[in-house]
Amino acid sequence: MSSVALSVLDTSPIVEGSTPREALLNTVDLARLAEDLGYHRYWVPEHHGMRGVASSAPAVLIAHLASATTRLRIGAGGVLLPNHPPLVVAEQFGTLAALHPGRIDLGLGRAPGGSKAASAAIRPQRTKAFGEQLTELQHYLHPPEDAEVKAIPVLGGNVPALWLLGRSPESAALAAARGLKYAFAHHLAPDAPIKADLVSVSVIAAEDDERAEWLAGSTRLKVLSRIRGTRIRLPSPEEAAAFPYTADDRTEIAKRSDAVLTGSPDTLVPKLQRILDETSSGEIMVTTPLYHHADRRRSYELVASLAGRLTAGQAGIFTEPARETGQ
């Protein structure tokens, strides 16, 4: 029986009434707390044009977080490869790996990461398929001696740990075909468990079930607003509790309640263990959509106490690869 590694996925949420600067400073604070609590890794995503998300430039944010911590693995969850020339990604993450050896993860996704307008502004012309870009990136991360163009920062073994992210069997199959670790986005597809090395889960923990569900009202109202065609930033739980829900609203919320796991530590253990068993994962990456930063900190403190009460799936705990040398 292997214990479970716990990690963090943080979008740097800009909640209602806050600013991007406040969101990013909260991310730095949370990363330091996660390190103190014994979390294994801390990933930030790439999103564009989303008013409630401050994490738009993973490489920049990762550099700051790695400098603000000492042991925590820091990474992208993930870089959306279709938005970038693979050479630039290799150079950026090779630089990060050189400055913070053995601590940098490069998770890759294929989603647009924003609206059609935002995507068009980032990549007006898309000429290569994701698989072609992945091949090119792997070439730059592990260049042959006679390569005409090299990502100079990776030379000497400054190579990040490479992951594929996704929520479909196709992504999992591609990761297996390339010999890469796979991170399954359970928080985006809770009804389709897929075998993975790591599984990301949306979790809200509190001292008791009632408070956890009350705190979850914020994200439930935000999801409902999106369904109804209105985009809002994460509201306070007080605002969510006072909202005049209709019977249809409550039905819609109930349909999606499994997307966020809520409860006290005792309530969360069987829920998380079921996901570990279904996905064979050895690592849970927790994302916690809460309005008050203090509540978010407390939730991660409570989740940290669960590591010894959970058993890794068949994949076991992922062991980071040894640093390569002699590029």
Side-chain angles (χ1 to χ4, degrees):
M1 294 178 61
S2 299
S3 60
V4 171
L6 295 175
S7 298
V8 177
L9 175 62
D10 183 7
T11 63
S12 298
I14 309 171
V15 303
E16 184 60 40
S18 73
T19 67
R21 173 175 169 78
E22 291 172 335
L24 292 169
L25 291 178
N26 284 341
T27 285
V28 177
D29 177 73
L30 189 60
R32 288 171 172 154
L33 175 67
E35 182 167 79
D36 291 341
L37 293 172
Y39 281 86
H40 183 48
R41 70 181 91 237
Y42 198 106
W43 283 2
V44 294
E46 175 187 345
H47 288 295
H48 301 285
M50 293 188 177
R51 57 184 306 203
V53 176
S55 181
S56 297
V60 177
L61 186 52
I62 288 167
H64 189 73
L65 293 175
S67 295
T69 55
T70 59
R71 302 179 305 278
L72 199 63
R73 291 192 67 89
I74 308 293
V79 166
L80 303 178
L81 190 54
N83 293 342
H84 310 280
L87 176 59
V88 173
V89 175
E91 291 173 336
Q92 289 175 344
F93 280 80
T95 300
L96 290 167
L99 293 172
H100 307 281
R103 295 183 59 206
I104 302 300
D105 295 331
L106 172 53
L108 300 172
R110 67 176 79 199
S115 65
K116 290 183 179 180
S119 298
I122 294 166
R123 46 175 180 171
Q125 294 181 335
R126 181 177 176 179
T127 59
K128 293 184 178 179
F130 180 79
E132 294 176 294
Q133 285 192 300
L134 179 57
T135 297
E136 187 177 341
L137 175 61
Q138 290 183 288
H139 171 82
Y140 288 129
L141 290 174
H142 304 281
E145 289 293 335
D146 60 351
E148 183 177 1
V149 178
K150 295 182 179 181
I152 300 303
V154 309
L155 303 183
N158 304 313
V159 181
L162 197 61
W163 290 72
L164 280 191
L165 318 180
R167 50 177 169 170
S168 69
E170 291 76 18
S171 295
L174 179 59
R178 298 299 181 94
L180 301 176
K181 294 294 181 178
Y182 182 61
F184 169 55
H186 178 278
H187 67 290
L188 298 178
D191 297 327
I194 296 171
K195 304 300 182 184
D197 302 279
L198 176 157
V199 56
S200 62
V201 183
S202 184
V203 178
I204 293 176
E207 280 72 14
D208 57 65
D209 293 352
E210 183 178 5
R211 177 164 176 79
E213 186 57 35
W214 183 77
L215 291 171
S218 297
T219 190
R220 304 213 192 283
L221 178 54
K222 183 177 180 181
V223 170
L224 178 65
S225 297
R226 183 170 67 245
I227 294 170
R228 301 304 190 210
T230 303
R231 295 278 180 172
I232 63 172
R233 289 179 176 169
L234 191 69
S236 70
E238 292 83 2
E239 180 182 347
F243 189 83
Y245 298 99
T246 66
D248 286 345
D249 290 340
R250 297 188 185 281
T251 298
E252 288 291 346
I253 289 173
K255 287 180 183 178
R256 294 161 177 80
S257 61
D258 290 344
V260 181
L261 306 186
T262 66
S264 67
D266 287 343
T267 297
L268 287 171
V269 166
K271 294 180 179 180
L272 292 172
Q273 188 61 58
R274 185 185 71 253
I275 293 172
L276 286 166
D277 294 341
E278 289 176 346
T279 61
S280 297
S281 298
E283 182 171 348
I284 290 178
M285 178 166 277
V286 175
T287 183
T288 300
L290 286 175
Y291 179 83
H292 295 293
H293 187 59
D295 290 329
R296 199 156 63 120
R297 284 176 57 97
R298 182 56 180 153
S299 182
Y300 279 107
E301 289 173 349
L302 293 171
V303 170
S305 70
L306 304 182
R309 301 174 62 183
L310 298 169
T311 303
Q314 295 177 1
I317 294 179
F318 170 56
T319 301
E320 310 298 345
R323 292 185 64 210
E324 299 181 20
T325 58
Q327 291 279 6

